[in-house]
Amino acid sequence: MTTDEVLSEFRAAGALLEGHFILSSGLRSPLYMQKMLVFCDPARTERLCRALAAKAKERFGAIDIVVSPAVGGVIPGYETARALGAKAIFVEREAGVFRLRRGFLIPPGARVLMVEDIITTGLSSRETVEALAEHPGTIVGAACLIDRSGGKADIGVKRVALATLDIPAYPPDALPPDLAALPAVKPGSRALAGAA
């Protein structure tokens, strides 16, 4: 699947939004990808995640377990795992730190792929990788649907992205005038109870 095909899926779902958005990282952007509008369509989600699974398998080989950060990574993690024939589990925040909960385990020797929805600064991905380092198994790499950092975000492991874009993101005190003139909206999930 090409970058244009990935963006076409987001456009068709009404998930490419323009305006002034406060991202989960606190940075501001004129473009927001409301991936939940993509994920509410199972057929569209399956197409995207099947393509991501193929790219991840080509780069990293066989995968036993896919681990994703809650909330945004759970659906693409599950669908990517399904396409890979792997198990799907996720990390959740506990006292502000990502941890495996709910009896999820990673056995010794398991080949683990971290799957994320969209990478901007890479914070959630890095925190997920750090949480996994406490468990047996081998983290072979990471995969995401969209890397909006242009490949620059450091997540601590090698990664593949279905689409790599270089979308501007600005600190709140360094906004371009046209963006500063628009009201800011915070559509993400990081501020959910227990997700901070």
Side-chain angles (χ1 to χ4, degrees), residues 27 37 41 53 58 74 88 95 106 115 119 121 132 136 139 146 149 152 173 181 184 188:
L27 297 174
L37 293 176
D41 181 336
E58 180 181 322
V74 173
I106 298 174
V115 172
I119 291 175
T121 64
L132 298 178
I139 305 166
I146 296 178
S149 79
K152 296 185 286 270
D173 60 353

Side-chain angles (χ1 to χ4, degrees), residues 167-184:
I167 299 173
Y170 308 96
D173 60 353
L175 299 177
D178 56 330
L179 190 59
L182 298 173

Side-chain angles (χ1 to χ4, degrees), residues 102-148:
R102 302 174 190 265
F104 293 149
L105 298 172
I106 298 174
R111 294 176 51 79
V112 180
L113 178 70
M114 193 281 298
V115 172
E116 179 70 282
D117 50 7
I118 297 171
I119 291 175
T120 300
T121 64
L123 177 61
S124 292
S125 297
R126 280 191 307 276
E127 290 176 333
T128 301
V129 168
E130 288 167 8
L132 298 178
E134 299 175 7
H135 298 274
T138 302
I139 305 166
V140 296
C144 66
L145 291 174
I146 296 178
D147 179 349
R148 56 178 284 154

Side-chain angles (χ1 to χ4, degrees), residues 43-113:
R44 176 171 282 120
T45 303
E46 190 269 339
R47 278 193 301 276
L48 288 164
C49 293
R50 185 178 62 233
L52 182 61
K55 199 166 188 177
K57 187 173 185 177
E58 180 181 322
R59 174 85 185 267
F60 303 118
I63 304 298
D64 300 310
I65 300 174
V66 168
V67 182
S68 300
V71 172
V74 173
I75 293 172
Y78 175 86
E79 277 297 318
T80 303
R82 190 162 70 102
L84 289 167
K87 286 191 174 187
I89 62 176
F90 53 89
V91 294
E92 300 173 82
R93 291 194 190 277
E94 186 175 70
V97 178
F98 274 140
R99 300 205 186 290
L100 286 177
R101 300 180 60 230
R102 302 174 190 265
F104 293 149
L105 298 172
I106 298 174
R111 294 176 51 79
V112 180
L113 178 70

Side-chain angles (χ1 to χ4, degrees), residues 7-18 32-38 40-41 44:
L7 292 178
S8 289
E9 293 282 6
F10 273 73
R11 279 190 197 95
L16 279 181
L17 309 177
E18 293 185 26
Y32 187 78
M33 297 177 162
Q34 183 50 278
K35 70 253 178 185
M36 291 308 175
L37 293 176
V38 172
C40 69
D41 181 336
R44 176 171 282 120

